[in-house]
């Protein structure tokens, strides 16, 4: 049935029956139709030529891994990223295998599914592109499809089925039938006992899935994956937003368990660019993309040094990202996905019943050189009241302020200027590098600044203002998280911060590094963040990010 008022299903399984040659151009419309019915996970099962109207119940069969199949899978993940990006699409490969020799093996071994394969998400609906010639047969075809799918996979009780064909017919009438000009590519794929790949696999996306799926097609026995960890993440863009190693590994395991459970999968942390690929004698093939091909060649040079045979380099097409903007790469990449998170709510606020609901208070922080003041000023232009803790810090040292006397008692009169004001330079030199004395000073000063922050917020409330931004380098260290509803953290790479500090303050690289190392690292700050921003790119990019964050904030409050 193709009734548009259909209910949504959480997990679907799409059985594709068109011939391999005509499928590539049909994939996008089929996925769009499927995305109108399924809202979380879409499994794809390939059985080109499956006939659901023959009168006898069809059975799953093995499909040979041909080159066209890897082209199709690449195309499918590429289209999915484009037309149904919100869905977790997974192409299932249990039934893809070189045919056993004729006459070899009994019927049981020729069946891809001796028992139905369990999936991580149990399907509630089965969809197909099968073309129904006679509408009267639709019930019979649906029953046939449900039975077929039940042979292959463990499905939810009372699974529904939907023939997508009515929605697809009009597409094909436009003369869209792809011409089969790739006859020479229909040859079988070379497969290998042991295959290896490496990567970060952050926020598993279409390009990763293509790489993993094609590796699964190539591997008959064992699939080894090196996953970047620790040292290998240092140079990554927005590395603070990379998912923890354990999360990335769990995603991979789940995806591969669904895709091809018969494979022996080994996942190892990569601490250097080569890992196990240069020492494992059993490996036969490494899967690379155009941009990682050089890495693959380097692996082979190292293997030669270790007296190991070279690996076959199997190169795959990289997917183009249809949704990229100016700071993103052309290919679908995790760094682009991470950059899209900037300005969005990453973790919901923990709730602050002890704070008045208005004004809504944002705590803005980040290390030296991260561009806090410029972001705070942009938020001020957008309508927030800016509370500058650096300025308040100066106020608490003024003669007559509560702190003044206390600081004088502890650190002595040699910290005073002629005019009896505190010389903050001299004071800083007294506490520098001495944890105990520094704590002694901050214990006096921080609570006083906190009082001034509260006064400023009250002031804003009396003036009827909706949002305050507390601009504070030490927001987290000082424990001022209780003064704010939300924490916004600005991150930039350490080397960029060093460059900015040396240019801005005319200090040496060593001094700049020293200053940064006395502060919380951004990876630690991000753990407390509700929103993360980065000023790494041109000011226009930052401006758009801040605007996005502000608009999303207005919606939340």
């Amino acid at each position: 049935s193709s009734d548009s008022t259909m209910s949504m299903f959480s997990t679907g399984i799409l059985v594709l029956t068109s011939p391999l040659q005509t499928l590539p151009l049909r994939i996008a419309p089929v996925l769009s139709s499927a995305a109108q019915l399924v809202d979380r996970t879409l499994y794809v099962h390939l059985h080109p030529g499956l006939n659901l109207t023959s009168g006898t119940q069809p059975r799953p069969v093995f499909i040979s891994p041909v080159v066209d199949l890897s082209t199709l899978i690449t195309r499918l993940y590429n289209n999915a990223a484009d037309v149904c990006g919100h869905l977790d699409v997974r192409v299932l490969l249990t039934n893809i295998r070189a045919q056993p020799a004729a006459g070899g093996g009994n019927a049981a071994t020729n069946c891809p599914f001796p028992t139905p394969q369990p999936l991580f998400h149990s399907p509630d609906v089965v969809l197909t592109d099968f073309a129904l010639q006679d509408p009267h047969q639709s019930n019979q075809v649906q029953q046939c499809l449900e039975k077929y799918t039940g042979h292959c996979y463990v499905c939810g009780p009372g699974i529904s089925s939907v023939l997508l064909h009515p929605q697809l017919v009009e597409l094909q009438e436009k003369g869209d039938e792809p011409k089969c000009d790739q006859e020479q590519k229909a040859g079988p794929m070379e497969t290998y006992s042991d295959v290896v790949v490496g990567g970060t696999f952050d926020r598993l996306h279409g390009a990763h899935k293509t790489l993993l799926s094609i590796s699964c097609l190539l591997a008959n026995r064992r699939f080894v994956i090196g996953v970047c960890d620790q040292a290998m993440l240092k140079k990554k863009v927005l590395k603070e937003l990379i998912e923890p190693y354990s999360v990335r590994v769990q995603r991979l395991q789940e995806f591969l368990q669904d895709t091809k459970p018969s494979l022996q999968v080994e996942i190892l942390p990569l601490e250097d660019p080569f890992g196990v690929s240069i020492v494992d004698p059993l490996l036969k093939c490494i899967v690379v993309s155009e941009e990682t091909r050089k890495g693959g060649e380097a692996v082979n040079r190292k293997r030669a040094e270790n007296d190991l045979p070279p690996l076959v380099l199997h190169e795959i097409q990289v997917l183009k990202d249809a949704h990229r903007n100016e700071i993103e790469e052309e290919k679908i990449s995790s760094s682009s996905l991470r950059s899209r998170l900037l300005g969005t709510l990453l973790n919901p606020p923990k709730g602050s019943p002890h704070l008045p609901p208005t004004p809504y208070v944002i705590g803005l922080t980040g290390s030296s050189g991260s561009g806090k003041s410029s972001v705070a000023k942009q938020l001020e232009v957008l309508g927030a009241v800016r509370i500058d803790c650096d300025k308040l810090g100066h106020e608490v040292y003024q003669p007559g302020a509560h702190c003044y006397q206390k600081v004088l008692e502890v650190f002595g009169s040699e910290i005073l200027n002629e005019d009896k004001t505190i010389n903050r330079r001299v004071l800083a030199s007294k506490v520098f590098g001495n944890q105990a004395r520094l704590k002694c000073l901050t214990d006096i000063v921080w609570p006083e600044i906190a009082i001034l922050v509260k006064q400023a917020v009250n002031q804003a409330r009396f003036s009827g203002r909706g949002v305050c931004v507390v601009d504070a380098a030490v927001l987290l260290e000082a424990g001022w998280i209780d003064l704010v509803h939300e924490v916004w953290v600005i991150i930039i790479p350490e080397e960029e911060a060093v460059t900015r500090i040396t240019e801005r303050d005319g200090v040496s690289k060593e001094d700049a590094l020293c200053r940064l190392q006395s502060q919380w690292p951004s990876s630690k700050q991000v753990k407390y963040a509700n929103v993360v921003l980065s000023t790494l790119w041109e000011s226009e990019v930052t401006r758009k990010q801040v605007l996005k964050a502000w608009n999303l904030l207005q919606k939340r409050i």
Side-chain angles (χ1 to χ4, degrees):
S1 62
S2 62
D3 174 13
S4 60
T5 58
M6 236 166 202
S7 63
M8 264 300 195
F9 298 95
S10 166
T11 302
I13 189 156
L14 170 63
V15 177
L16 293 176
T17 64
S18 305
L20 268 185
Q21 284 71 29
T22 57
L23 254 179
L25 287 186
R26 288 191 189 171
I27 279 295
V30 173
L31 289 173
S32 311
S33 308
Q36 290 163 20
L37 301 171
V38 175
D39 61 10
R40 188 184 64 185
T41 314
L42 181 66
Y43 290 113
V44 179
H45 172 88
L46 299 165
H47 189 150
L50 174 67
N51 184 355
L52 296 169
T53 49
S54 67
T56 53
Q57 178 62 40
R59 294 276 175 165
V61 295
F62 279 113
I63 312 288
S64 284
V66 290
V67 177
D68 280 352
L69 198 59
S70 74
T71 315
L72 171 72
I73 288 173
T74 306
R75 183 74 173 257
L76 193 144
Y77 281 121
N78 208 352
N79 288 157
D82 205 4
V83 301
C84 54
H86 62 291
L87 286 183
D88 179 359
V89 175
R90 305 181 183 190
V91 181
L92 302 170
L93 301 173
T94 290
N95 60 325
I96 313 291
R97 189 180 86 188
Q99 304 324 38
N106 53 26
T109 60
N110 285 345
C111 169
F113 304 94
T115 59
Q117 174 186 332
L119 298 167
F120 265 88
H121 304 284
S122 149
D124 331 298
V125 65
V126 51
L127 315 165
T128 185
D129 65 342
F130 183 73
L132 195 59
Q133 303 311 317
D134 170 4
H136 293 112
Q137 289 183 306
S138 89
N139 265 351
Q140 177 200 337
V141 168
Q142 282 174 291
Q143 279 170 8
C144 190
L145 176 65
E146 288 162 25
K147 218 167 184 178
Y148 171 88
T149 311
H151 276 303
C152 302
Y153 305 101
V154 178
C155 297
I159 189 166
S160 314
S161 57
V162 177
L163 308 182
L164 298 174
H165 193 253
Q167 289 123 299
L168 300 175
V169 174
E170 58 272 27
L171 288 153
Q172 274 138 35
E173 284 163 3
K174 296 181 188 138
D176 247 0
E177 280 308 300
K179 304 287 167 281
C180 186
D181 56 348
Q182 297 175 324
E183 284 301 344
Q184 75 283 0
K185 288 182 71 179
M189 269 175 95
E190 188 71 53
T191 60
Y192 307 91
S193 59
D194 299 59
V195 173
V196 64
V197 301
T200 307
F201 299 103
D202 178 42
R203 304 173 195 280
L204 204 62
H205 54 62
H208 295 138
K209 290 175 177 180
T210 304
L211 174 69
L212 295 165
S213 299
I214 289 177
S215 302
C216 285
L217 284 181
L218 294 167
N220 299 321
R221 187 181 78 88
R222 185 173 70 121
F223 182 21
V224 180
I225 307 173
V227 176
C228 294
D229 197 19
Q230 312 289 331
M232 291 292 289
L233 300 177
K234 287 234 188 331
K235 288 276 176 273
K236 299 273 180 193
V237 176
L238 302 176
K239 60 176 184 290
E240 298 86 353
L241 296 180
I242 292 175
E243 296 169 317
Y245 177 79
S246 59
V247 171
R248 289 178 283 135
V249 168
Q250 194 188 341
R251 288 261 168 87
L252 283 172
Q253 281 166 333
E254 181 184 311
F255 178 81
L256 293 166
Q257 180 64 31
D258 272 345
T259 304
K260 191 170 178 177
S262 62
L263 269 188
Q264 182 185 328
V265 172
E266 288 170 24
I267 302 179
L268 306 157
L270 262 190
E271 303 288 359
D272 64 66
F274 301 109
V276 69
S277 69
I278 57 172
V279 292
D280 186 328
L282 296 174
L283 294 174
K284 300 285 187 284
C285 169
I286 183 167
V287 187
V288 295
S289 60
E290 192 180 346
E291 64 165 28
T292 62
R293 188 178 188 99
K294 284 200 167 53
E297 289 162 357
V299 164
N300 276 342
R301 287 196 293 278
K302 291 271 188 192
R303 281 180 76 88
E305 289 168 24
N306 293 340
D307 294 322
L308 290 173
L311 301 176
V312 174
L313 265 57
H314 183 100
E315 187 177 318
I316 60 166
Q317 254 52 66
V318 180
L319 302 185
K320 295 274 183 270
D321 189 342
H323 303 282
R324 71 191 178 109
N325 66 27
E326 69 275 28
I327 61 171
E328 298 176 354
E329 300 169 55
E330 182 177 20
K331 63 183 178 63
I332 294 180
S333 75
S334 308
S335 55
S336 301
L337 295 178
R338 291 196 294 276
S339 71
R340 280 174 212 169
L341 296 173
L342 296 171
T344 67
L345 190 67
L346 297 180
N347 302 299
K350 55 183 179 344
S352 317
H354 59 286
L355 292 179
T358 59
Y360 198 80
V361 186
I362 303 295
L364 180 68
T365 191
S367 58
S368 294
S370 62
K372 273 188 310 301
S373 351
S374 72
V375 170
K377 284 173 187 151
Q378 290 178 45
L379 289 167
E380 193 170 23
V381 171
L382 290 168
V385 174
R386 178 186 176 200
I387 300 171
D388 181 349
C389 290
D390 208 32
K391 216 164 114 208
L392 299 182
H394 284 274
E395 286 178 28
V396 297
Y397 284 114
Q398 295 306 316
H402 188 62
C403 271
Y404 180 84
Q405 223 34 58
K406 278 190 183 169
V407 172
L408 214 54
E409 280 162 27
V410 177
F411 293 97
S413 57
E414 64 264 36
I415 59 167
L416 292 181
N417 293 318
E418 300 281 301
D419 61 1
K420 296 280 187 275
T421 53
I422 289 175
N423 183 325
R424 291 181 63 177
R425 271 243 161 90
V426 177
L427 180 58
S429 68
K430 275 182 164 289
V431 297
F432 188 76
N434 182 329
Q435 282 314 115
R437 299 186 80 172
L438 181 60
K439 184 175 183 326
C440 186
L441 179 61
T442 56
D443 283 350
I444 299 171
V445 178
W446 285 351
E448 293 297 317
I449 299 177
I451 290 169
L452 295 182
V453 169
K454 286 178 185 164
Q455 287 173 359
V457 171
N458 286 333
Q459 188 62 51
R461 184 177 312 111
F462 291 131
S463 317
R465 303 293 292 274
V467 178
C468 289
V469 173
V470 177
D471 170 0
V474 294
L475 183 82
L476 301 171
E477 291 95 317
W480 295 340
I481 201 160
D482 291 340
L483 303 179
V484 303
H485 294 92
E486 267 180 42
V487 175
W488 292 16
V489 173
I490 307 176
I491 58 176
I492 54 166
E494 189 176 78
E495 53 276 23
E496 174 69 15
V498 168
T499 307
R500 292 182 186 182
I501 295 167
T502 51
E503 286 173 4
R504 181 188 69 192
D505 302 345
V507 297
S508 69
K509 272 199 159 141
E510 293 67 38
D511 286 353
L513 257 176
C514 222
R515 187 186 306 180
L516 288 167
Q517 279 155 4
S518 69
Q519 302 170 346
W520 278 20
S522 46
S523 55
K524 184 173 178 185
Q525 295 187 356
V526 164
K527 291 191 168 75
Y528 293 85
N530 302 107
V531 172
V532 173
L533 301 163
S534 178
T535 56
L536 180 56
W537 301 278
E538 297 75 62
S539 52
E540 181 51 24
V541 174
T542 302
R543 202 184 63 75
K544 283 186 181 162
Q545 241 182 69
V546 173
L547 189 59
K548 174 181 179 180
W550 178 260
N551 290 335
L552 290 171
L553 171 71
Q554 297 306 316
K555 284 204 184 95
R556 283 203 289 287
I557 61 178

